Amino acid sequence: MTILLTGAAGFIGSHLTEQLLAVGHQVIGLDNFDDQYDPYRKYDNIHAFAEHPRFELIKGDIRDQALVSDLLKRHACDTVVHLAARTGVRTSVTEPARCLDVNVNGTLSLLEAMRVTNVGRLVMASSSSVYGNSNNVPFREDDSANQPLSPYAMSKRSGELLAYTYHHLYGFDIACLRFFTVYGPRQRPEMAISRFTEQLINEQPITLFGDGTTARNYTYIHDTVMGILRAIYCLSGYNLLNVGGPTSVTLHELVQLIERAVGHKATIDWQPAQPGDVVLTCADLSLAAERIGYRPTVSIDEGINRFVRWYKQDLAKNETHI
């Protein structure tokens, strides 16, 4: 299978590329190395497989429809995995136009490139943020998702609707995977688990927004990658599927888990809740289990321990190169 993977040098994309190469697929990676965080982190993400004979990296933008069409044709791609996005709820609140341009227009450009090149298989990243502050817990894929609380959430819901239209009109097989807060090695530096770990290791205060009772379903990167792989292999029709972790934990509980893994007690800097943040994310995974056999295996306790071990090793590695 030859797969065009957008966002290939990012956190999830780099882990997925490693797994796709390991099981024998060819990966054409597209990434624009934008400035949302240090682009050199992305180059470091792909360092281990950059010279792999079945991997090719193209620096480019998903909004460049001519480029995407050329890649699909030239490499005879049969499947697209679309992970590229302007990420983050809080970033989208301060830069809504940029978020919508990349996430909505970029997805439309990709779908159009697929249409004109007759590539009709797509797995794309959506987000648990589309549920907003749903009163139905756990969140099910057939719940209403028409009250997004941030431009990011709206952009992801728009992507799902665009995808459905292309499935309906042009017969695309599409799986939209609603990811629930993915974490693990290479996680983006502004994400809570990365930021808290760095602050605890450096014995700095941790900034918490709200009262600590907000809760998230955290998904370890290995489980997310396995969900994407299963979706690729089971791709048929149009599916919205939750890809989440085994359980949800509060912000208080998360900090306690990181404290134990790092070995330091946190000093908390409490701040008001942030616009766009939801109170709870909680995934009903029964449909994903039924449709693609998805079942997460890494508990939040084990995942945090793995992440902190990696973070310390990565920190030591970087210090030896200074």
Side-chain angles (χ1 to χ4, degrees):
M1 190 181 296
T2 300
I3 296 170
L4 175 65
L5 173 57
T6 74
F11 164 42
I12 300 174
S14 61
H15 281 278
L16 178 61
T17 299
E18 284 182 322
Q19 188 61 36
L20 289 169
L21 294 173
V23 296
H25 300 300
Q26 181 176 354
V27 179
I28 311 303
L30 178 63
D31 204 296
N32 72 345
F33 293 88
D34 73 3
D35 60 357
Q36 189 169 0
Y37 60 95
D38 186 350
Y40 285 100
R41 285 179 177 261
K42 297 180 184 179
Y43 286 109
D44 192 52
N45 287 348
I46 65 172
H47 176 75
F49 55 81
E51 302 301 322
H52 194 287
R54 282 184 278 103
F55 176 72
E56 182 174 341
L57 176 68
I58 293 89
K59 185 175 180 180
D61 198 297
I62 54 172
R63 290 167 291 182
D64 185 345
Q65 186 182 325
L67 170 65
V68 177
S69 297
D70 177 68
L71 293 175
L72 291 171
K73 286 189 292 187
R74 181 153 45 92
H75 295 281
C77 298
D78 47 63
T79 303
V80 176
V81 178
H82 177 33
L83 303 180
R86 187 71 179 172
T87 55
V89 166
R90 292 173 188 168
T91 302
S92 78
V93 172
T94 58
E95 296 184 312
R98 189 173 183 183
C99 171
L100 297 176
D101 184 30
V102 173
N103 295 359
V104 180
N105 292 334
T107 299
L108 176 59
S109 173
L110 179 69
L111 287 164
E112 271 294 279
M114 293 176 64
R115 182 181 67 84
V116 300
T117 56
N118 296 310
V119 178
R121 289 170 46 84
L122 173 66
V123 175
M124 61 180 284
S126 186
S127 168
S128 61
S129 65
V130 302
Y131 291 109
N133 280 327
S134 175
N135 292 320
N136 299 323
V137 179
F139 300 166
R140 288 169 45 97
E141 293 87 346
D142 57 1
D143 290 343
S144 172
N146 59 7
Q147 294 183 324
L149 301 184
S150 67
Y152 176 72
M154 190 275 277
S155 74
K156 286 299 185 178
R157 182 63 180 136
S158 297
E160 294 177 350
L161 295 172
L162 279 170
Y164 180 80
T165 301
Y166 276 71
H167 158 71
H168 174 72
L169 291 176
Y170 310 116
F172 284 17
D173 290 318
I174 299 177
C176 298
L177 306 182
R178 291 175 171 173
F179 295 153
F180 284 70
T181 315
V182 186
Y183 72 101
R186 306 178 203 150
Q187 187 187 43
R188 300 197 319 271
E190 85 281 5
M191 298 291 285
I193 291 172
S194 289
R195 192 172 70 253
F196 294 167
T197 299
E198 178 183 15
Q199 290 167 330
L200 271 167
I201 286 176
N202 292 317
E203 300 186 40
Q204 298 170 342
I206 287 178
T207 301
L208 297 185
F209 298 96
D211 61 4
T213 62
T214 57
R216 297 287 180 273
N217 181 292
Y218 294 96
T219 318
Y220 193 68
I221 183 63
H222 170 79
D223 288 330
T224 302
V225 168
M226 290 301 105
I228 298 170
L229 279 177
R230 289 183 175 277
I232 292 171
Y233 297 147
C234 300
L235 199 53
S236 179
Y238 178 83
N239 288 280
L240 291 173
L241 297 172
N242 290 336
V243 173
T247 189
S248 297
V249 298
T250 68
L251 193 55
H252 270 309
E253 292 167 334
L254 178 69
V255 171
Q256 290 170 354
L257 288 169
I258 300 174
E259 284 176 334
R260 287 201 292 269
V262 171
H264 290 305
K265 186 74 175 174
T267 301
I268 308 297
D269 172 27
W270 291 102
Q271 295 292 329
Q274 294 289 286
D277 280 356
V278 299
V279 174
L280 167 71
T281 65
C282 183
D284 185 324
L285 300 176
S286 56
L287 186 63
E290 175 189 330
R291 296 278 175 87
I292 63 173
Y294 172 73
R295 292 175 179 83
T297 60
V298 182
S299 69
I300 184 66
D301 307 61
E302 175 59 24
I304 292 296
N305 286 329
R306 290 185 193 182
F307 175 78
V308 171
R309 283 198 301 270
W310 168 83
Y311 190 95
K312 289 180 176 179
Q313 291 165 359
D314 190 62
L315 192 64
K317 179 191 73 174
N318 290 332
E319 286 175 347
T320 61
H321 289 103
I322 294 175

